[in-house]
């Protein structure tokens, strides 16, 4: 992997904007502000990466197969940056598949404000910042914000890391290629800024995934041709390795050495395609300190639950008897749907302990432990301190209610003449052939309609007895249009169309607050009174519980087209997705930026 790091100076003030001073005190404040900005800029850097997408032979579970990788690595390289850095990644596609890559940065606007009292009715404001928002061109989902990078071509993803610090991740966002094309993103705090929890002695990245014996794309094609789910994975992995409970895995086990009395930060991402996962470490508790690159109120737990798309940072204290301990992941599934229920393991090993010592296994929650899942998610709270506030929208401009359903679509070549599909508000999303952001920016007609309904066409007992009749959905490329800077509440309701199931939903371009979650049907008359509007968890991917609902709130201050989809790859492929068109704002910096010159053509 080639990494080049250079410092860069990006002015936070346009030359056309001036600070207006009134009196000595405001002038002094302004000077102090400028000095602080110069200090911040001196620390900023440009991190440059070269990503070569290429096919490499990788051996797992007793045989080798060609897989798509970045720089020949599986998983791919970890991107390191500091808050405030600019990240430039040149992706060159040498594989036979078209490629696009999604980066889990939420594109927050970063705003500096000075407020100085002049007299009873005058205040001085200086407002500007380093903004990467309105830059959906660097978001990555194929045919949503860009057309894919064709074989032999390159595209530069260029974005600023503003208002974020913590663990995120990146992955291919086309077909099922993220089965092998993925990696972590580590955003360190600015120099001199401490963590709001005890400083760890060391840090380690753990990325969970899935492994198939066969060619994943061929397996998916076979399933689609029959209208059925593709074969489930053959193993889960930790940092690309299934661990010693699988055959031929002596060399394919991740091991982490620790020293007695020291503490370690584990940066965990779930890159699995279709499974929520429990994770635990034998003989050790974990203290959760961050989710989706947002600090949380710390709490201690014996296990964590992490859905596809989510990240979690935990502190682990090496205070047990020196030995070797398994770290283990296993799926959570509380409905009778087939999953790869095998356990992947890695090893936490105390320094000086020989490899001949047999590790002990942790006590993971039962695979269908709904009570643990609900109680764990209820413990997640934003830190909500003056330095890291939880700016929850208290007033809502737009109320949305989306039902999640499984269903059927006509397929003359499939078994029984139908294929499984999925929908939001009974609409199965149809992927366009032109990128939606390009169509929006250029005002192209006929690519999409901005008429996605705010609620389902018909109310029913969403989580009652299973509904197995009239399961055909409508199809369309229909988007939800949102005025700039409006506040949105979206309730995502699971349904018993064919079957209830938990769904991790990811919103591109934004973080949101999970203000409420419940089991059963959402009650608009009673449930909002139970919302947490003080310190709800802030994240980019929410797990909607089986046969239940989740309510999220966000401010639509990032113009562009932003994908919203279930992060179970199976359901996304079946059409469980849509997108938000957030209108431009009135200011000159509140509109979608022009596309880069090297944007891949459709």
């Amino acid at each position: 992997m080639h990494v080049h790091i250079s410092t860069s100076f990006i002015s936070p003030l346009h030359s056309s904007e001036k600070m207006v001073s009134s009196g000595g005190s405001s002038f002094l404040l302004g000077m102090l502000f400028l000095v602080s900005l110069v200090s911040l800029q001196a620390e900023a850097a440009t991190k440059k990466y070269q990503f070569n997408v290429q096919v490499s032979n990788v051996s797992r579970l007793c045989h080798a197969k060609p897989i798509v990788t970045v720089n020949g690595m599986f998983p791919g390289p970890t991107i390191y940056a500091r808050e405030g850095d600019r990240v430039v990644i040149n992706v060159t596609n040498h594989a036979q598949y078209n490629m696009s890559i999604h980066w889990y940065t939420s594109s927050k606007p970063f705003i500096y404000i000075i407020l100085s009292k002049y007299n009873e009715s005058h205040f001085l404001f200086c407002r500007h910042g380093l903004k990467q928002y309105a830059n959906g061109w660097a978001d990555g989902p194929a045919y949503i914000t860009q057309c894919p990078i064709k074989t032999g071509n390159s595209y530069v993803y260029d974005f600023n890391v503003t208002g974020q610090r913590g663990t995120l991740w990146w992955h291919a966002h086309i077909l099922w290629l993220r089965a092998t094309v993925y990696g972590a993103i580590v955003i360190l705090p600015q120099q001199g800024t401490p963590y709001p929890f005890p400083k760890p002695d060391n840090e380690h990245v753990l990325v969970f995934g899935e492994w198939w014996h066969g060619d994943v794309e061929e397996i998916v094609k076979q399933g689609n041709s029959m209208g059925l789910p593709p074969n489930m994975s053959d193993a889960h992995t930790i940092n690309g390795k299934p661990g010693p409970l699988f055959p031929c895995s002596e060399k394919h086990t991740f091991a982490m050495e620790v020293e007695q009395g020291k503490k370690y930060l584990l940066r965990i991402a779930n890159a699995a395609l279709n499974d929520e996962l429990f994770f635990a470490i034998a003989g050790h508790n974990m203290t959760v300190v961050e989710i989706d690159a947002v600090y949380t109120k710390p709490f201690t737990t014996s296990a964590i639950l992490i859905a596809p798309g989510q990240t979690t940072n935990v502190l682990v204290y090496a205070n047990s008897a020196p030995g070797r301990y398994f770290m283990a992941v296993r799926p959570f599934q509380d409905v009778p749907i087939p999953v790869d229920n095998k356990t992947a393991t890695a090893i936490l090993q105390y320094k000086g302990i020989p490899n001949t010592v047999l590790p002990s296994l942790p006590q993971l929650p039962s695979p269908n432990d709904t009570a643990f899942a609900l109680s764990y998610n209820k413990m997640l709270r934003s830190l909500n301190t003056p330095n890291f506030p939880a700016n929850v929208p208290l007033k809502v401009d737009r109320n949305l209610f989306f039902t999640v359903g499984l269903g059927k679509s006509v397929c003359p070549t499939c078994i029984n003449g139908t294929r499984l599909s999925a929908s939001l508000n009974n609409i199965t999303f149809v992927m366009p052939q032109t990128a939606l952001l390009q169509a929006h920016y250029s005002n192209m007609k006929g690519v999409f309609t901005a008429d996605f309904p705010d609620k389902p066409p018909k109310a029913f007992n969403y989580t009652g007895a299973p509904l197995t009749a009239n399961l055909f959905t409508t199809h369309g490329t229909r988007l939800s249009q949102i005025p700039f800077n409006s506040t949105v509440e979206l309730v995502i309701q699971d349904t018993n169309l064919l079957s209830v199931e938990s769904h991790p939903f990811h919103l591109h371009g934004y973080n949101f607050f999970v203000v409420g979650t419940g089991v059963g049907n959402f009650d608009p008359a009673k449930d909002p009174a139970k919302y947490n509007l003080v310190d709800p968890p802030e994240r980019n991917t929410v797990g909607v519980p089986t046969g239940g609902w989740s309510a999220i709130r966000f401010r639509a201050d990032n113009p562009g087209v932003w994908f919203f989809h279930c992060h179970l790859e199976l359901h996304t492929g079946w059409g469980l997705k849509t997108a938000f068109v957030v209108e431009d704002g009135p200011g000159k910096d509140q509109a979608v930026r022009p596309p880069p010159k090297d944007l891949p053509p459709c």
Side-chain angles (χ1 to χ4, degrees):
M1 177 182 65
H2 172 70
V3 182
H4 172 71
I5 300 175
S6 63
T7 59
S8 63
F9 182 92
I10 304 175
S11 173
L13 297 174
H14 282 305
S15 59
S16 60
E17 295 186 9
K18 299 179 181 179
M19 291 181 60
V20 180
S21 63
S22 299
S25 60
S26 59
F27 177 76
L28 179 59
L29 278 174
M31 292 302 294
L32 289 172
F33 175 68
L34 288 175
V35 169
S36 69
L37 287 183
V38 171
S39 175
L40 286 173
Q41 295 152 4
E43 297 172 0
T46 296
K47 305 294 177 64
K48 295 184 178 181
Y49 289 83
Q50 174 63 41
F51 273 27
N52 292 310
V53 178
Q54 60 195 64
V55 174
S56 304
N57 280 324
V58 173
S59 177
R60 295 290 186 274
L61 307 182
C62 304
H63 74 282
K65 70 170 185 175
I67 65 171
V68 181
T69 68
V70 169
N71 299 346
M73 301 169 64
F74 172 65
T78 297
I79 293 172
Y80 287 92
R82 285 196 180 274
E83 182 183 353
D85 284 352
R86 178 186 177 193
V87 179
V88 180
I89 305 165
N90 183 55
V91 177
T92 302
N93 185 12
H94 301 286
Q96 71 270 35
Y97 300 103
N98 291 341
M99 176 59 61
S100 71
I101 295 180
H102 170 49
W103 321 90
Y104 266 71
T105 54
S106 69
S107 304
K108 292 181 180 179
F110 189 37
I111 300 169
Y112 298 103
I113 299 178
I114 297 178
L115 176 60
S116 171
K117 187 170 182 180
Y118 172 57
N119 58 32
E120 292 300 321
S121 60
H122 292 78
F123 294 89
L124 168 70
F125 288 87
C126 175
R127 179 186 183 278
H128 201 76
L130 307 174
K131 301 178 182 178
Q132 70 158 24
Y133 85 147
N135 187 25
W137 311 111
D139 189 45
Y143 298 107
I144 305 297
T145 59
Q146 65 166 94
C147 288
I149 307 166
K150 295 182 174 66
T151 302
N153 293 331
S154 298
Y155 180 50
V156 175
Y157 293 92
D158 188 342
F159 53 89
N160 294 328
V161 180
T162 52
Q164 287 181 289
R165 79 294 304 163
T167 305
L168 296 167
W169 66 296
W170 58 267
H171 63 81
H173 214 305
I174 183 171
L175 306 175
W176 282 40
L177 292 174
R178 74 175 181 88
T180 57
V181 180
Y182 62 85
I185 301 174
V186 173
I187 305 171
L188 300 172
Q190 291 176 343
Q191 290 280 8
T193 302
Y195 293 125
F197 49 80
K199 182 180 178 181
D201 296 294
N202 206 342
E203 302 183 359
H204 295 274
V205 172
L206 301 179
V207 185
F208 305 149
E210 293 181 77
W211 179 265
W212 278 260
H213 280 304
D215 183 310
V216 177
E217 294 305 321
E218 289 302 319
I219 291 170
V220 173
K221 285 180 184 177
Q222 184 180 26
N224 288 340
S225 68
M226 295 187 294
L228 298 173
N231 292 339
M232 68 185 73
S233 59
D234 297 294
H236 291 95
T237 60
I238 300 176
N239 288 348
K241 300 175 179 180
L245 302 186
F246 289 85
C248 305
S249 292
E250 294 83 1
K251 296 180 181 179
H252 303 303
T253 300
F254 174 76
M256 182 181 94
E257 185 178 81
V258 299
E259 293 186 44
Q260 178 77 28
K262 292 190 175 182
K263 50 188 173 293
Y264 297 83
L265 183 68
L266 303 187
R267 299 177 175 273
I268 303 168
N270 185 357
L273 276 77
N274 294 304
D275 292 329
E276 295 182 81
L277 297 169
F278 289 124
F279 171 74
I281 306 173
H284 297 76
N285 287 327
M286 297 171 283
T287 301
V288 176
V289 294
E290 177 201 303
I291 53 173
D292 292 1
V294 180
Y295 295 135
T296 64
K297 288 182 171 64
F299 67 92
T300 300
T301 180
S302 60
I304 68 169
L305 174 64
I306 184 167
Q310 294 181 338
T311 63
T312 303
N313 281 9
V314 299
L315 278 177
V316 176
Y317 291 81
N319 53 12
S320 294
R324 301 175 80 221
Y325 298 87
F326 272 131
M327 303 182 283
V329 294
R330 184 174 65 196
F332 162 60
Q333 181 59 272
D334 55 356
V335 290
I337 293 175
V339 295
D340 171 12
N341 60 4
K342 295 180 284 296
T343 301
T345 54
I347 296 174
L348 184 147
Q349 182 165 335
Y350 280 73
K351 187 175 182 179
I353 299 298
N355 292 343
T356 53
V357 175
L358 292 177
S360 55
L361 276 167
Q363 187 69 39
L364 285 162
S366 299
N368 62 348
D369 196 339
T370 304
F372 179 92
L374 293 173
S375 64
Y376 173 81
N377 283 321
K378 193 172 290 186
M379 288 188 288
L380 298 172
R381 300 291 180 96
S382 291
L383 195 57
N384 194 23
T385 62
N387 287 335
F388 305 103
N391 296 316
V392 187
L394 301 180
K395 174 181 170 293
V396 174
D397 300 318
R398 181 84 167 269
N399 284 281
L400 305 175
F401 185 79
F402 289 1
T403 53
V404 179
L406 302 179
K408 298 178 181 179
S409 297
V410 174
C411 175
T413 62
C414 297
I415 297 175
N416 299 324
T418 62
R419 71 170 70 226
L420 289 169
S421 61
S423 66
L424 288 169
N425 286 353
N426 203 47
I427 299 169
T428 296
F429 190 82
V430 176
M431 291 296 289
Q433 297 302 306
T434 299
L436 297 175
L437 181 59
Q438 289 177 267
H440 168 63
Y441 181 83
S442 303
N443 199 26
M444 295 182 196
K445 303 300 181 184
V447 177
F448 67 88
T449 57
D451 61 349
F452 191 90
D454 288 0
K455 59 184 180 180
K458 181 181 179 181
F460 59 96
N461 183 6
Y462 306 114
T463 56
L467 300 173
T468 57
N470 300 319
L471 294 175
F472 289 95
T473 62
T474 62
H475 292 67
T477 311
R478 300 173 66 180
L479 279 56
S480 179
Q481 188 155 336
I482 308 292
F484 178 81
N485 210 38
S486 59
T487 53
V488 178
E489 178 178 305
L490 167 59
V491 176
I492 312 161
Q493 173 72 63
D494 187 31
T495 70
N496 210 353
L497 293 167
L498 282 184
S499 173
V500 291
E501 188 174 352
S502 59
H503 299 272
F505 271 90
H506 174 51
L507 175 59
H508 289 231
Y510 287 91
N511 279 1
F512 49 74
F513 293 96
V514 185
V515 296
T517 298
V519 175
N521 296 339
F522 174 75
D523 187 338
K526 297 179 180 179
D527 286 326
K530 306 171 190 174
Y531 283 175
N532 176 6
L533 300 179
V534 177
D535 59 355
E538 180 184 351
R539 56 191 327 162
N540 58 53
T541 303
V542 59
V544 179
T546 300
W549 56 271
S550 291
I552 65 173
R553 287 187 181 184
F554 63 96
R555 181 177 292 277
D557 57 2
N558 190 6
V561 177
W562 302 106
F563 205 18
F564 178 70
H565 62 94
C566 179
H567 221 293
L568 303 181
E569 204 64 37
L570 181 65
H571 292 170
T572 301
W574 286 350
L576 194 51
K577 52 196 173 187
T578 184
F580 291 104
V581 181
V582 179
E583 299 170 359
D584 289 346
K588 63 179 181 180
D589 294 328
Q590 296 173 337
V592 176
R593 299 178 189 177
K597 293 181 179 179
D598 64 338
L599 188 70
C602 295

